[in-house]
Amino acid sequence: MKLKNYFLGVLLAVIGLVMLIWPAFCIKIVVILAGAATVANGVCNLAKTTQVSEDPAYKKTSFIKNIVSILIGVIAVLCPLLLMKSVSVIWTVITYVLAVYFVIYAISGFFISSYTKDLDSEIRRRITTESMIYLLIAILLFVLPIGAVIETIIRIAGAVAIVVGAIFITKEIVYSKKMKSVK
């Protein structure tokens, strides 16, 4: 009998239950984690800016893009914690802020890949692809009614977590009974 499998099953089931009962709380947590990841990405990219190219236009554009990334991440972390209590308001504000951020990120990426002379073709291709993806995500964020979609996804993920948790627990119970009967 493995205690960690029981623990994992119970933990998944509890997280799934929380996701089903309080999707708004889970959305706040996701927004905060996404904001923290955006801040970390901006800080890491700031550190790498000088390693990719010495072109002043690249450095300036990349610096602005990374500072905006850090600011957007801070807003995403602070909004659910300090400014707003309603999840739909939080999600609407964050959605549009992220959409604008992604547009700015895409434009700066296109600028960097087009006008930086000493970029390696592989890096240029990666930046262009990233920029296209960010632009598509921005368009989706502007078009979709994201609050209802996210809440539904959270509830579905909660149901899946409960089922997976139950499978872990059941599997461990069956396995431990088989091991007892073998002895």
Side-chain angles (χ1 to χ4, degrees):
M1 175 165 65
K2 293 184 180 176
L3 190 59
K4 74 174 185 174
N5 287 343
Y6 280 121
F7 178 73
L8 182 60
V10 170
L11 181 65
L12 280 171
V14 168
I15 289 171
L17 201 55
V18 169
M19 292 168 82
L20 276 175
I21 296 171
W22 297 296
F25 171 75
C26 294
I27 289 170
K28 286 181 181 182
I29 297 301
V30 167
V31 169
I32 291 168
L33 291 175
T38 304
V39 169
N41 183 43
V43 170
C44 288
N45 285 339
L46 260 178
K48 292 179 187 176
T49 299
T50 56
Q51 298 170 355
V52 175
S53 173
E54 292 298 321
D55 186 324
Y58 170 80
K59 284 184 175 184
K60 188 179 203 178
T61 306
S62 185
F63 178 77
I64 291 169
K65 178 175 73 168
N66 292 323
I67 293 298
V68 169
S69 176
I70 292 168
L71 291 175
I72 296 297
V74 168
I75 290 170
V77 169
L78 293 180
C79 261
L81 294 176
L82 303 175
L83 303 176
M84 295 174 245
K85 300 299 178 197
S86 168
V87 170
S88 62
V89 173
I90 291 169
W91 199 255
T92 302
V93 168
I94 293 299
T95 299
Y96 289 122
V97 167
L98 282 173
V100 169
Y101 164 69
F102 287 150
V103 168
I104 292 169
Y105 198 93
I107 290 170
S108 67
F110 290 134
F111 176 80
I112 287 169
S113 67
S114 298
Y115 292 105
T116 306
K117 307 266 186 269
D118 62 347
L119 274 183
D120 180 60
S121 64
E122 180 71 24
I123 293 173
R124 187 181 310 276
R125 193 173 22 253
R126 183 184 54 81
I127 291 172
T128 302
T129 304
E130 253 181 34
S131 298
M132 294 288 282
I133 291 169
Y134 280 120
L135 191 58
L136 289 173
I137 292 171
I139 291 168
L140 286 174
L141 288 176
F142 280 124
V143 173
L144 292 177
I146 202 76
V149 171
I150 295 298
E151 193 165 312
T152 302
I153 290 170
I154 294 288
R155 288 180 190 256
I156 290 170
V160 169
I162 290 171
V163 169
V164 171
I167 289 171
F168 265 92
I169 293 168
T170 305
K171 199 172 173 185
E172 192 56 39
I173 290 171
V174 169
Y175 179 75
S176 65
K177 284 183 181 178
K178 281 185 180 179
M179 293 305 290
K180 285 182 183 178
S181 67
V182 171
K183 291 180 182 182

